[in-house]
Amino acid sequence: NISSLVCSGSRSSKTFKPKKNIPEGSHQYELLKHAEATLGSGNLRMAVMLPDGEDLNEWVAVNTVDFFNQINMLYGTITDFCTEESCPVMSAGPKYEYHWADGTNIKKPIKCSAPKYIDYLMTWVQDQLDDETLFPSKIGVPFPKNFMSVAKTILKRLFRVYAHIYHQHFDPVIQLQEEAHLNTSFKHFIFFVQEFNLIDRRELAPLQELIEKLTSKDR
C-alpha cells in the first residue's frame, strides 16, 4: 500500500532528527575523538571520567550531543513500531506516564502519544543544542551560568526515550538485533550521568532494575 508507506515514511523522518555534528578541528571535536577512543577500550567507567585538565561544561556538552545522536538513531530504528495506535500515551511501563511541557511554548503539561511526545522532546533538545548561547561551539566562548541545569534537563528527558524503548519496544529491538547496541549505549549513558550526578535517582526509577543489572558487573 503506497499511501501508508508514504505516511509512515514521512512520520519516521519527522521524528528522526538530523545528526548534530560537532565542528571538525574544534576542541570539542578532539574531546569527542578522545571519548570514542576510551570507549573503544571497553572500560565505560573510565571512559566517562573527565579527562585531565578539561572543562566539565565542555565535557558534558560534547557527551550530551553524542547521546542525543545515539538515542536519535536508536529510536529511528523502531519508529515504525511506535505509533499513535500502539502508544497512545508516552509511558515507561504501567507505572510511569510522561506528559509534555517545555516551559515556553507548552507551559501546562499535555497528555500525548509517545511518537508525538518524542517528537516534541527531540525537537526541543535539538533547539537547545543549536543555541550558541547555551552550547557554544567556538573556542573561548564561555558556557552560560545555567548550563548545567539545562544539560540536566536534556539528559533527564533523553532518559525517557530509553525508558520508553525498553518498556514498550524491546521485542522489535531484539528482532532487529539491536539489543547489544541499545544496552551499550544505555550503560554508557548511565555511567555518565552517575559520574557527574546529572539525573535524580527518582527519575531513573522506571529502569532501576536494568540499571542495577548493567552496572553491577562494573563496580
Side-chain angles (χ1 to χ4, degrees):
N1 179 337
I2 192 93
S3 66
S4 73
L5 260 177
V6 169
C7 284
S8 74
S10 66
R11 201 186 71 69
S12 300
S13 60
K14 186 164 147 274
T15 306
F16 193 64
K17 305 289 162 216
K19 191 167 187 285
K20 168 83 182 159
N21 286 320
I22 289 174
E24 257 183 83
S26 68
H27 183 62
Q28 291 185 9
Y29 188 77
E30 297 306 314
L31 274 180
L32 183 65
K33 288 282 155 263
H34 169 88
E36 284 167 0
T38 49
L39 276 176
S41 74
N43 184 337
L44 285 170
R45 284 246 184 256
M46 293 285 292
V48 297
M49 288 177 180
L50 180 66
D52 284 347
E54 293 298 345
D55 174 53
L56 179 60
N57 284 344
E58 200 154 33
W59 183 238
V60 169
V62 165
N63 281 278
T64 300
V65 169
D66 193 34
F67 289 126
F68 168 78
N69 286 335
Q70 287 182 42
I71 293 165
N72 195 9
M73 206 166 74
L74 285 161
Y75 183 69
T77 63
I78 57 103
T79 48
D80 289 345
F81 305 95
C82 186
T83 63
E84 301 282 329
E85 295 72 45
S86 70
C87 304
V89 294
M90 172 65 178
S91 63
K95 286 199 292 217
Y96 300 97
E97 188 179 304
Y98 299 112
H99 297 172
W100 178 254
D102 59 14
T104 44
N105 299 325
I106 301 171
K107 293 192 169 69
K108 196 169 179 242
I110 56 168
K111 195 170 177 166
C112 54
S113 68
K116 189 91 190 115
Y117 185 101
I118 292 171
D119 189 40
Y120 278 136
L121 186 156
M122 296 303 265
T123 303
W124 177 84
V125 172
Q126 197 175 26
D127 289 345
Q128 311 307 302
L129 300 182
D130 287 340
D131 183 343
E132 278 289 325
T133 63
L134 274 179
F135 280 77
S137 59
K138 295 177 185 65
I139 302 248
V141 177
F143 282 84
K145 294 219 176 356
N146 66 334
F147 173 74
M148 270 305 164
S149 67
V150 173
K152 284 177 178 177
T153 304
I154 291 173
L155 293 164
K156 174 181 81 176
R157 289 179 173 171
L158 287 175
F159 168 82
R160 294 171 181 177
V161 184
Y162 280 121
H164 180 71
I165 294 172
Y166 272 112
H167 277 284
Q168 312 301 132
H169 302 296
F170 201 58
D171 288 344
V173 167
I174 292 170
Q175 284 160 21
L176 294 161
Q177 298 178 323
E178 289 273 335
E179 187 184 353
H181 182 184
L182 174 65
N183 284 345
T184 304
S185 174
F186 181 62
K187 191 170 166 181
H188 179 203
F189 179 89
I190 286 301
F191 279 177
F192 190 81
V193 299
Q194 284 178 345
E195 174 73 14
F196 303 106
N197 201 12
L198 297 168
I199 301 182
D200 198 306
R201 266 183 75 89
R202 278 194 322 258
E203 288 284 340
L204 300 174
L207 293 177
Q208 197 50 49
E209 280 172 45
L210 175 69
I211 290 168
E212 278 161 24
K213 197 171 112 191
L214 288 176
T215 58
S216 62
K217 298 183 198 72
D218 297 82
R219 291 240 181 269

